[in-house]
Amino acid sequence: MSVQVSYKKQTVFFMLSILIILSVVEFTIRIYDYYNPNCNFVNSDVFADVDDNLKLQICRDNVSLKWEINPLLLIPNQNLNTITVNSDGFRGNELSANPDYRIFVIGGSTTFGVGATSDSKTIPYFLQEKMNQVFPNQNVEIINAGIPQAYSFTESTLIKEKILLYSPDLLIIYDGWNDLGQDYEFYSQGTDPIFLDKLVRYIGKSDYVTPKFILTYYFNLKHNSDEIVHFNSYKINEKISLWTNTWEDICQLEKENNFKTIITLQPLVGTGQKNLTSEESNNFIKFDGESAILYYDSYQSALNKLNSECFSTLDLRNAFDSNAETIFYDFGHVGDFGNKIIAEKIYEKILPIVIKDIKE
């Protein structure tokens, strides 16, 4: 009996020791991660004028952001220092009860505004500010429906299952990059289709910092290496067809649901005629830009086809041609200034549409 009790004591002592060690490691990493969050963008020229403490806070908030998969949805009511997700699961302020005109901007992390210094420095918010100036006596509401990792399949699901319930007047699809890199075999399976992806996402949703810290450090270490991330062109034509068919399907719903759709192609490093800075040139090489942009250009013919199926399209690949400064902090993400430029380009496109619709 005494031997059995001894074994139990040893087991309990061992378990307590493991818990104490894990707790000490978790506490230590929390402290370290708070003061030294591991984000790639903090050293980019894009953020040269941003306060160091604010850059660290942006990093912490983006790492802390949580969303569901299958279907891909932001978890509502997230109130971080630089990011707010409202009670409907969209970034920014609460939605109006009865707006005069409602516009959804739909896309991935670039639409959401990963790297933006606040909710008010995202593409949809810059659009909102311009609309407020033109329509001071009417409520033209711009909603940020961007979700990190979203692509055309998850975006169309979001539209059909959620956004149409809000009676939109106009959908702006800010798209291209995530579809370009999406695996053909997993297109209809949504984000994180394989077990390892699901595990990473599950860890990301937890409040346990240690595994998230290790994963973030590992992925950023790979990102910061000199190894080129070669573009996978497998079944690129089929991928373009999937992208086209997905948006054709959404555009078929326009008349019966009384909304308009504008499909765009977003800019990436190397699209258009922008003179790349040293940092952008390094990103172009790092992400195999020569191959990626070659195939990305093929989406243009698909965009032309969609122009006859959807209300309208907009090619934004050359949006930064006249900008000599560093706009991109990786292959596709931009900072506040880049978001403002994109918003101005979209504004020029949609203003006549909104004016006409409101008058009718």
Side-chain angles (χ1 to χ4, degrees), residues 271-305:
T271 61
Q273 301 299 316
K274 184 185 188 304
N275 291 323
L276 302 183
T277 63
S278 176
E279 180 181 337
E280 290 171 334
S281 295
N282 290 336
N283 283 328
F284 185 79
I285 295 170
K286 166 74 178 178
F287 295 101
D288 192 13
E290 186 173 352
S291 299
I293 299 305
L294 175 65
Y295 291 108
Y296 190 50
D297 287 344
S298 299
Y299 280 76
Q300 172 58 45
S301 58
L303 193 69
N304 290 337
K305 181 181 179 183

PDB file of all heavy atoms in Angstrom, residues 271-305:
ATOM      1  N   THR A 271       3.247  44.836 -60.560  1.00  0.00           N
ATOM      2  CA  THR A 271       2.177  45.126 -61.519  1.00  0.00           C
ATOM      3  C   THR A 271       2.266  46.593 -61.901  1.00  0.00           C
ATOM      4  O   THR A 271       2.803  47.414 -61.162  1.00  0.00           O
ATOM      5  CB  THR A 271       0.784  44.838 -60.934  1.00  0.00           C
ATOM      6  OG1 THR A 271       0.564  45.679 -59.786  1.00  0.00           O
ATOM      7  CG2 THR A 271       0.657  43.385 -60.511  1.00  0.00           C
ATOM      8  N   GLY A 272       1.723  46.949 -63.055  1.00  0.00           N
ATOM      9  CA  GLY A 272       1.789  48.323 -63.505  1.00  0.00           C
ATOM     10  C   GLY A 272       3.206  48.728 -63.860  1.00  0.00           C
ATOM     11  O   GLY A 272       4.072  47.892 -64.149  1.00  0.00           O
ATOM     12  N   GLN A 273       3.459  50.044 -63.821  1.00  0.00           N
ATOM     13  CA  GLN A 273       4.759  50.586 -64.218  1.00  0.00           C
ATOM     14  C   GLN A 273       5.475  51.273 -63.058  1.00  0.00           C
ATOM     15  O   GLN A 273       6.355  52.108 -63.279  1.00  0.00           O
ATOM     16  CB  GLN A 273       4.561  51.590 -65.366  1.00  0.00           C
ATOM     17  CG  GLN A 273       3.899  51.009 -66.600  1.00  0.00           C
ATOM     18  CD  GLN A 273       4.717  49.883 -67.208  1.00  0.00           C
ATOM     19  OE1 GLN A 273       5.939  49.983 -67.330  1.00  0.00           O
ATOM     20  NE2 GLN A 273       4.042  48.803 -67.593  1.00  0.00           N
ATOM     21  N   LYS A 274       5.114  50.934 -61.832  1.00  0.00           N
ATOM     22  CA  LYS A 274       5.768  51.572 -60.682  1.00  0.00           C
ATOM     23  C   LYS A 274       7.260  51.255 -60.655  1.00  0.00           C
ATOM     24  O   LYS A 274       7.665  50.097 -60.831  1.00  0.00           O
ATOM     25  CB  LYS A 274       5.134  51.099 -59.369  1.00  0.00           C
ATOM     26  CG  LYS A 274       5.714  51.793 -58.135  1.00  0.00           C
ATOM     27  CD  LYS A 274       5.139  51.221 -56.843  1.00  0.00           C
ATOM     28  CE  LYS A 274       5.576  52.041 -55.639  1.00  0.00           C
ATOM     29  NZ  LYS A 274       7.025  52.191 -55.500  1.00  0.00           N
ATOM     30  N   ASN A 275       8.074  52.301 -60.418  1.00  0.00           N
ATOM     31  CA  ASN A 275       9.496  52.087 -60.199  1.00  0.00           C
ATOM     32  C   ASN A 275       9.684  51.545 -58.786  1.00  0.00           C
ATOM     33  O   ASN A 275       9.408  52.238 -57.799  1.00  0.00           O
ATOM     34  CB  ASN A 275      10.274  53.392 -60.369  1.00  0.00           C
ATOM     35  CG  ASN A 275      10.294  53.861 -61.813  1.00  0.00           C
ATOM     36  OD1 ASN A 275      10.379  53.055 -62.737  1.00  0.00           O
ATOM     37  ND2 ASN A 275      10.214  55.167 -62.017  1.00  0.00           N
ATOM     38  N   LEU A 276      10.151  50.315 -58.687  1.00  0.00           N
ATOM     39  CA  LEU A 276      10.254  49.658 -57.386  1.00  0.00           C
ATOM     40  C   LEU A 276      11.421  50.215 -56.579  1.00  0.00           C
ATOM     41  O   LEU A 276      12.498  50.469 -57.112  1.00  0.00           O
ATOM     42  CB  LEU A 276      10.416  48.149 -57.559  1.00  0.00           C
ATOM     43  CG  LEU A 276       9.311  47.413 -58.326  1.00  0.00           C
ATOM     44  CD1 LEU A 276       9.595  45.914 -58.349  1.00  0.00           C
ATOM     45  CD2 LEU A 276       7.941  47.687 -57.714  1.00  0.00           C
ATOM     46  N   THR A 277      11.182  50.408 -55.295  1.00  0.00           N
ATOM     47  CA  THR A 277      12.256  50.806 -54.395  1.00  0.00           C
ATOM     48  C   THR A 277      13.117  49.579 -54.092  1.00  0.00           C
ATOM     49  O   THR A 277      12.784  48.452 -54.476  1.00  0.00           O
ATOM     50  CB  THR A 277      11.691  51.376 -53.088  1.00  0.00           C
ATOM     51  OG1 THR A 277      10.943  50.341 -52.417  1.00  0.00           O
ATOM     52  CG2 THR A 277      10.775  52.568 -53.373  1.00  0.00           C
ATOM     53  N   SER A 278      14.187  49.786 -53.356  1.00  0.00           N
ATOM     54  CA  SER A 278      15.067  48.674 -53.013  1.00  0.00           C
ATOM     55  C   SER A 278      14.321  47.603 -52.221  1.00  0.00           C
ATOM     56  O   SER A 278      14.452  46.402 -52.498  1.00  0.00           O
ATOM     57  CB  SER A 278      16.257  49.195 -52.197  1.00  0.00           C
ATOM     58  OG  SER A 278      17.076  48.128 -51.770  1.00  0.00           O
ATOM     59  N   GLU A 279      13.517  48.030 -51.257  1.00  0.00           N
ATOM     60  CA  GLU A 279      12.756  47.071 -50.453  1.00  0.00           C
ATOM     61  C   GLU A 279      11.753  46.317 -51.316  1.00  0.00           C
ATOM     62  O   GLU A 279      11.612  45.092 -51.194  1.00  0.00           O
ATOM     63  CB  GLU A 279      12.029  47.792 -49.320  1.00  0.00           C
ATOM     64  CG  GLU A 279      11.220  46.860 -48.431  1.00  0.00           C
ATOM     65  CD  GLU A 279      10.470  47.603 -47.324  1.00  0.00           C
ATOM     66  OE1 GLU A 279      10.882  48.713 -46.972  1.00  0.00           O
ATOM     67  OE2 GLU A 279       9.467  47.042 -46.820  1.00  0.00           O
ATOM     68  N   GLU A 280      11.054  47.013 -52.187  1.00  0.00           N
ATOM     69  CA  GLU A 280      10.070  46.369 -53.058  1.00  0.00           C
ATOM     70  C   GLU A 280      10.743  45.430 -54.048  1.00  0.00           C
ATOM     71  O   GLU A 280      10.210  44.345 -54.354  1.00  0.00           O
ATOM     72  CB  GLU A 280       9.255  47.433 -53.789  1.00  0.00           C
ATOM     73  CG  GLU A 280       8.315  48.190 -52.861  1.00  0.00           C
ATOM     74  CD  GLU A 280       7.664  49.389 -53.525  1.00  0.00           C
ATOM     75  OE1 GLU A 280       8.249  49.941 -54.482  1.00  0.00           O
ATOM     76  OE2 GLU A 280       6.561  49.792 -53.088  1.00  0.00           O
ATOM     77  N   SER A 281      11.906  45.803 -54.532  1.00  0.00           N
ATOM     78  CA  SER A 281      12.648  44.930 -55.447  1.00  0.00           C
ATOM     79  C   SER A 281      13.053  43.638 -54.753  1.00  0.00           C
ATOM     80  O   SER A 281      12.990  42.548 -55.341  1.00  0.00           O
ATOM     81  CB  SER A 281      13.894  45.649 -55.974  1.00  0.00           C
ATOM     82  OG  SER A 281      13.544  46.751 -56.773  1.00  0.00           O
ATOM     83  N   ASN A 282      13.461  43.762 -53.485  1.00  0.00           N
ATOM     84  CA  ASN A 282      13.817  42.561 -52.718  1.00  0.00           C
ATOM     85  C   ASN A 282      12.604  41.651 -52.536  1.00  0.00           C
ATOM     86  O   ASN A 282      12.721  40.420 -52.625  1.00  0.00           O
ATOM     87  CB  ASN A 282      14.389  42.958 -51.363  1.00  0.00           C
ATOM     88  CG  ASN A 282      15.766  43.591 -51.470  1.00  0.00           C
ATOM     89  OD1 ASN A 282      16.486  43.356 -52.440  1.00  0.00           O
ATOM     90  ND2 ASN A 282      16.133  44.398 -50.483  1.00  0.00           N
ATOM     91  N   ASN A 283      11.444  42.258 -52.280  1.00  0.00           N
ATOM     92  CA  ASN A 283      10.222  41.463 -52.148  1.00  0.00           C
ATOM     93  C   ASN A 283       9.840  40.816 -53.477  1.00  0.00           C
ATOM     94  O   ASN A 283       9.331  39.688 -53.504  1.00  0.00           O
ATOM     95  CB  ASN A 283       9.072  42.346 -51.650  1.00  0.00           C
ATOM     96  CG  ASN A 283       9.160  42.639 -50.167  1.00  0.00           C
ATOM     97  OD1 ASN A 283       9.645  41.822 -49.389  1.00  0.00           O
ATOM     98  ND2 ASN A 283       8.704  43.818 -49.767  1.00  0.00           N
ATOM     99  N   PHE A 284      10.055  41.534 -54.566  1.00  0.00           N
ATOM    100  CA  PHE A 284       9.761  40.996 -55.897  1.00  0.00           C
ATOM    101  C   PHE A 284      10.582  39.740 -56.157  1.00  0.00           C
ATOM    102  O   PHE A 284      10.068  38.738 -56.666  1.00  0.00           O
ATOM    103  CB  PHE A 284      10.067  42.058 -56.955  1.00  0.00           C
ATOM    104  CG  PHE A 284       9.689  41.663 -58.352  1.00  0.00           C
ATOM    105  CD1 PHE A 284       8.367  41.733 -58.778  1.00  0.00           C
ATOM    106  CD2 PHE A 284      10.650  41.203 -59.245  1.00  0.00           C
ATOM    107  CE1 PHE A 284       8.012  41.364 -60.069  1.00  0.00           C
ATOM    108  CE2 PHE A 284      10.308  40.843 -60.537  1.00  0.00           C
ATOM    109  CZ  PHE A 284       8.985  40.921 -60.952  1.00  0.00           C
ATOM    110  N   ILE A 285      11.852  39.788 -55.780  1.00  0.00           N
ATOM    111  CA  ILE A 285      12.725  38.616 -55.959  1.00  0.00           C
ATOM    112  C   ILE A 285      12.344  37.517 -54.984  1.00  0.00           C
ATOM    113  O   ILE A 285      12.252  36.340 -55.357  1.00  0.00           O
ATOM    114  CB  ILE A 285      14.200  39.032 -55.767  1.00  0.00           C
ATOM    115  CG1 ILE A 285      14.620  40.014 -56.863  1.00  0.00           C
ATOM    116  CG2 ILE A 285      15.105  37.800 -55.777  1.00  0.00           C
ATOM    117  CD1 ILE A 285      15.968  40.653 -56.625  1.00  0.00           C
ATOM    118  N   LYS A 286      12.133  37.914 -53.724  1.00  0.00           N
ATOM    119  CA  LYS A 286      11.833  36.954 -52.667  1.00  0.00           C
ATOM    120  C   LYS A 286      10.613  36.104 -53.005  1.00  0.00           C
ATOM    121  O   LYS A 286      10.595  34.893 -52.774  1.00  0.00           O
ATOM    122  CB  LYS A 286      11.600  37.718 -51.356  1.00  0.00           C
ATOM    123  CG  LYS A 286      10.954  36.931 -50.229  1.00  0.00           C
ATOM    124  CD  LYS A 286      11.913  35.947 -49.608  1.00  0.00           C
ATOM    125  CE  LYS A 286      11.258  35.214 -48.443  1.00  0.00           C
ATOM    126  NZ  LYS A 286      12.160  34.212 -47.862  1.00  0.00           N
ATOM    127  N   PHE A 287       9.564  36.736 -53.552  1.00  0.00           N
ATOM    128  CA  PHE A 287       8.312  36.033 -53.818  1.00  0.00           C
ATOM    129  C   PHE A 287       8.159  35.645 -55.290  1.00  0.00           C
ATOM    130  O   PHE A 287       7.033  35.466 -55.768  1.00  0.00           O
ATOM    131  CB  PHE A 287       7.129  36.888 -53.354  1.00  0.00           C
ATOM    132  CG  PHE A 287       7.098  37.090 -51.870  1.00  0.00           C
ATOM    133  CD1 PHE A 287       7.546  38.276 -51.302  1.00  0.00           C
ATOM    134  CD2 PHE A 287       6.661  36.086 -51.028  1.00  0.00           C
ATOM    135  CE1 PHE A 287       7.535  38.464 -49.933  1.00  0.00           C
ATOM    136  CE2 PHE A 287       6.647  36.256 -49.654  1.00  0.00           C
ATOM    137  CZ  PHE A 287       7.088  37.447 -49.100  1.00  0.00           C
ATOM    138  N   ASP A 288       9.287  35.503 -55.973  1.00  0.00           N
ATOM    139  CA  ASP A 288       9.272  35.031 -57.363  1.00  0.00           C
ATOM    140  C   ASP A 288       8.310  35.875 -58.201  1.00  0.00           C
ATOM    141  O   ASP A 288       7.455  35.356 -58.925  1.00  0.00           O
ATOM    142  CB  ASP A 288       8.880  33.555 -57.406  1.00  0.00           C
ATOM    143  CG  ASP A 288       9.134  32.908 -58.778  1.00  0.00           C
ATOM    144  OD1 ASP A 288       9.831  33.523 -59.608  1.00  0.00           O
ATOM    145  OD2 ASP A 288       8.600  31.806 -58.996  1.00  0.00           O
ATOM    146  N   GLY A 289       8.465  37.193 -58.074  1.00  0.00           N
ATOM    147  CA  GLY A 289       7.540  38.115 -58.712  1.00  0.00           C
ATOM    148  C   GLY A 289       7.456  37.974 -60.210  1.00  0.00           C
ATOM    149  O   GLY A 289       6.382  38.146 -60.800  1.00  0.00           O
ATOM    150  N   GLU A 290       8.574  37.647 -60.852  1.00  0.00           N
ATOM    151  CA  GLU A 290       8.555  37.534 -62.312  1.00  0.00           C
ATOM    152  C   GLU A 290       7.554  36.489 -62.769  1.00  0.00           C
ATOM    153  O   GLU A 290       6.786  36.706 -63.717  1.00  0.00           O
ATOM    154  CB  GLU A 290       9.960  37.192 -62.829  1.00  0.00           C
ATOM    155  CG  GLU A 290      10.075  37.193 -64.339  1.00  0.00           C
ATOM    156  CD  GLU A 290      11.493  37.033 -64.819  1.00  0.00           C
ATOM    157  OE1 GLU A 290      12.427  37.078 -63.995  1.00  0.00           O
ATOM    158  OE2 GLU A 290      11.683  36.859 -66.041  1.00  0.00           O
ATOM    159  N   SER A 291       7.548  35.338 -62.099  1.00  0.00           N
ATOM    160  CA  SER A 291       6.595  34.277 -62.457  1.00  0.00           C
ATOM    161  C   SER A 291       5.187  34.624 -61.995  1.00  0.00           C
ATOM    162  O   SER A 291       4.220  34.467 -62.754  1.00  0.00           O
ATOM    163  CB  SER A 291       7.027  32.949 -61.825  1.00  0.00           C
ATOM    164  OG  SER A 291       8.296  32.550 -62.288  1.00  0.00           O
ATOM    165  N   ALA A 292       5.064  35.098 -60.754  1.00  0.00           N
ATOM    166  CA  ALA A 292       3.743  35.389 -60.202  1.00  0.00           C
ATOM    167  C   ALA A 292       3.005  36.444 -61.013  1.00  0.00           C
ATOM    168  O   ALA A 292       1.817  36.282 -61.338  1.00  0.00           O
ATOM    169  CB  ALA A 292       3.879  35.841 -58.748  1.00  0.00           C
ATOM    170  N   ILE A 293       3.684  37.517 -61.363  1.00  0.00           N
ATOM    171  CA  ILE A 293       3.040  38.599 -62.097  1.00  0.00           C
ATOM    172  C   ILE A 293       2.708  38.184 -63.525  1.00  0.00           C
ATOM    173  O   ILE A 293       1.685  38.587 -64.095  1.00  0.00           O
ATOM    174  CB  ILE A 293       3.917  39.866 -62.096  1.00  0.00           C
ATOM    175  CG1 ILE A 293       4.127  40.346 -60.661  1.00  0.00           C
ATOM    176  CG2 ILE A 293       3.290  40.979 -62.933  1.00  0.00           C
ATOM    177  CD1 ILE A 293       2.861  40.573 -59.875  1.00  0.00           C
ATOM    178  N   LEU A 294       3.553  37.349 -64.107  1.00  0.00           N
ATOM    179  CA  LEU A 294       3.271  36.836 -65.451  1.00  0.00           C
ATOM    180  C   LEU A 294       1.913  36.135 -65.473  1.00  0.00           C
ATOM    181  O   LEU A 294       1.088  36.371 -66.368  1.00  0.00           O
ATOM    182  CB  LEU A 294       4.372  35.874 -65.885  1.00  0.00           C
ATOM    183  CG  LEU A 294       4.156  35.144 -67.228  1.00  0.00           C
ATOM    184  CD1 LEU A 294       4.148  36.147 -68.381  1.00  0.00           C
ATOM    185  CD2 LEU A 294       5.228  34.083 -67.444  1.00  0.00           C
ATOM    186  N   TYR A 295       1.661  35.286 -64.482  1.00  0.00           N
ATOM    187  CA  TYR A 295       0.392  34.561 -64.439  1.00  0.00           C
ATOM    188  C   TYR A 295      -0.740  35.448 -63.927  1.00  0.00           C
ATOM    189  O   TYR A 295      -1.893  35.280 -64.340  1.00  0.00           O
ATOM    190  CB  TYR A 295       0.539  33.312 -63.564  1.00  0.00           C
ATOM    191  CG  TYR A 295       1.420  32.261 -64.187  1.00  0.00           C
ATOM    192  CD1 TYR A 295       2.687  31.997 -63.685  1.00  0.00           C
ATOM    193  CD2 TYR A 295       0.993  31.542 -65.300  1.00  0.00           C
ATOM    194  CE1 TYR A 295       3.510  31.032 -64.271  1.00  0.00           C
ATOM    195  CE2 TYR A 295       1.805  30.586 -65.893  1.00  0.00           C
ATOM    196  CZ  TYR A 295       3.057  30.335 -65.379  1.00  0.00           C
ATOM    197  OH  TYR A 295       3.871  29.393 -65.966  1.00  0.00           O
ATOM    198  N   TYR A 296      -0.422  36.380 -63.057  1.00  0.00           N
ATOM    199  CA  TYR A 296      -1.441  37.297 -62.557  1.00  0.00           C
ATOM    200  C   TYR A 296      -2.002  38.152 -63.690  1.00  0.00           C
ATOM    201  O   TYR A 296      -3.192  38.472 -63.713  1.00  0.00           O
ATOM    202  CB  TYR A 296      -0.846  38.182 -61.465  1.00  0.00           C
ATOM    203  CG  TYR A 296      -1.852  39.015 -60.708  1.00  0.00           C
ATOM    204  CD1 TYR A 296      -3.002  38.439 -60.165  1.00  0.00           C
ATOM    205  CD2 TYR A 296      -1.637  40.375 -60.498  1.00  0.00           C
ATOM    206  CE1 TYR A 296      -3.920  39.198 -59.451  1.00  0.00           C
ATOM    207  CE2 TYR A 296      -2.544  41.144 -59.784  1.00  0.00           C
ATOM    208  CZ  TYR A 296      -3.681  40.553 -59.259  1.00  0.00           C
ATOM    209  OH  TYR A 296      -4.595  41.307 -58.556  1.00  0.00           O
ATOM    210  N   ASP A 297      -1.157  38.503 -64.627  1.00  0.00           N
ATOM    211  CA  ASP A 297      -1.608  39.282 -65.785  1.00  0.00           C
ATOM    212  C   ASP A 297      -2.678  38.540 -66.585  1.00  0.00           C
ATOM    213  O   ASP A 297      -3.488  39.164 -67.274  1.00  0.00           O
ATOM    214  CB  ASP A 297      -0.425  39.632 -66.695  1.00  0.00           C
ATOM    215  CG  ASP A 297       0.475  40.706 -66.097  1.00  0.00           C
ATOM    216  OD1 ASP A 297       0.032  41.379 -65.150  1.00  0.00           O
ATOM    217  OD2 ASP A 297       1.623  40.859 -66.560  1.00  0.00           O
ATOM    218  N   SER A 298      -2.668  37.210 -66.479  1.00  0.00           N
ATOM    219  CA  SER A 298      -3.664  36.421 -67.215  1.00  0.00           C
ATOM    220  C   SER A 298      -5.074  36.630 -66.668  1.00  0.00           C
ATOM    221  O   SER A 298      -6.062  36.335 -67.347  1.00  0.00           O
ATOM    222  CB  SER A 298      -3.307  34.928 -67.140  1.00  0.00           C
ATOM    223  OG  SER A 298      -2.038  34.677 -67.725  1.00  0.00           O
ATOM    224  N   TYR A 299      -5.180  37.139 -65.438  1.00  0.00           N
ATOM    225  CA  TYR A 299      -6.498  37.417 -64.871  1.00  0.00           C
ATOM    226  C   TYR A 299      -7.172  38.598 -65.567  1.00  0.00           C
ATOM    227  O   TYR A 299      -8.385  38.793 -65.420  1.00  0.00           O
ATOM    228  CB  TYR A 299      -6.379  37.699 -63.370  1.00  0.00           C
ATOM    229  CG  TYR A 299      -6.260  36.463 -62.512  1.00  0.00           C
ATOM    230  CD1 TYR A 299      -5.067  35.753 -62.430  1.00  0.00           C
ATOM    231  CD2 TYR A 299      -7.347  35.984 -61.782  1.00  0.00           C
ATOM    232  CE1 TYR A 299      -4.943  34.613 -61.646  1.00  0.00           C
ATOM    233  CE2 TYR A 299      -7.245  34.856 -60.993  1.00  0.00           C
ATOM    234  CZ  TYR A 299      -6.042  34.165 -60.933  1.00  0.00           C
ATOM    235  OH  TYR A 299      -5.931  33.021 -60.165  1.00  0.00           O
ATOM    236  N   GLN A 300      -6.381  39.384 -66.309  1.00  0.00           N
ATOM    237  CA  GLN A 300      -6.949  40.537 -66.992  1.00  0.00           C
ATOM    238  C   GLN A 300      -8.006  40.125 -68.018  1.00  0.00           C
ATOM    239  O   GLN A 300      -9.071  40.750 -68.112  1.00  0.00           O
ATOM    240  CB  GLN A 300      -5.837  41.336 -67.691  1.00  0.00           C
ATOM    241  CG  GLN A 300      -6.321  42.453 -68.595  1.00  0.00           C
ATOM    242  CD  GLN A 300      -7.168  43.467 -67.856  1.00  0.00           C
ATOM    243  OE1 GLN A 300      -6.817  43.894 -66.770  1.00  0.00           O
ATOM    244  NE2 GLN A 300      -8.294  43.862 -68.439  1.00  0.00           N
ATOM    245  N   SER A 301      -7.727  39.082 -68.786  1.00  0.00           N
ATOM    246  CA  SER A 301      -8.714  38.631 -69.773  1.00  0.00           C
ATOM    247  C   SER A 301      -9.978  38.140 -69.082  1.00  0.00           C
ATOM    248  O   SER A 301     -11.100  38.335 -69.588  1.00  0.00           O
ATOM    249  CB  SER A 301      -8.126  37.514 -70.648  1.00  0.00           C
ATOM    250  OG  SER A 301      -7.711  36.409 -69.862  1.00  0.00           O
ATOM    251  N   ALA A 302      -9.820  37.523 -67.913  1.00  0.00           N
ATOM    252  CA  ALA A 302     -10.984  37.083 -67.139  1.00  0.00           C
ATOM    253  C   ALA A 302     -11.765  38.291 -66.631  1.00  0.00           C
ATOM    254  O   ALA A 302     -13.006  38.280 -66.610  1.00  0.00           O
ATOM    255  CB  ALA A 302     -10.538  36.213 -65.968  1.00  0.00           C
ATOM    256  N   LEU A 303     -11.051  39.338 -66.255  1.00  0.00           N
ATOM    257  CA  LEU A 303     -11.714  40.555 -65.794  1.00  0.00           C
ATOM    258  C   LEU A 303     -12.527  41.174 -66.921  1.00  0.00           C
ATOM    259  O   LEU A 303     -13.638  41.668 -66.699  1.00  0.00           O
ATOM    260  CB  LEU A 303     -10.672  41.552 -65.283  1.00  0.00           C
ATOM    261  CG  LEU A 303     -11.208  42.741 -64.482  1.00  0.00           C
ATOM    262  CD1 LEU A 303     -11.750  42.274 -63.137  1.00  0.00           C
ATOM    263  CD2 LEU A 303     -10.118  43.793 -64.273  1.00  0.00           C
ATOM    264  N   ASN A 304     -11.988  41.142 -68.134  1.00  0.00           N
ATOM    265  CA  ASN A 304     -12.726  41.661 -69.296  1.00  0.00           C
ATOM    266  C   ASN A 304     -14.017  40.876 -69.516  1.00  0.00           C
ATOM    267  O   ASN A 304     -15.053  41.450 -69.862  1.00  0.00           O
ATOM    268  CB  ASN A 304     -11.853  41.596 -70.542  1.00  0.00           C
ATOM    269  CG  ASN A 304     -10.707  42.588 -70.496  1.00  0.00           C
ATOM    270  OD1 ASN A 304     -10.772  43.592 -69.794  1.00  0.00           O
ATOM    271  ND2 ASN A 304      -9.639  42.302 -71.231  1.00  0.00           N
ATOM    272  N   LYS A 305     -13.943  39.566 -69.322  1.00  0.00           N
ATOM    273  CA  LYS A 305     -15.130  38.732 -69.475  1.00  0.00           C
ATOM    274  C   LYS A 305     -16.171  39.082 -68.414  1.00  0.00           C
ATOM    275  O   LYS A 305     -17.372  39.175 -68.702  1.00  0.00           O
ATOM    276  CB  LYS A 305     -14.756  37.257 -69.377  1.00  0.00           C
ATOM    277  CG  LYS A 305     -15.941  36.312 -69.548  1.00  0.00           C
ATOM    278  CD  LYS A 305     -15.517  34.858 -69.416  1.00  0.00           C
ATOM    279  CE  LYS A 305     -16.719  33.924 -69.571  1.00  0.00           C
ATOM    280  NZ  LYS A 305     -16.345  32.493 -69.379  1.00  0.00           N
TER     281      LYS A 305
END
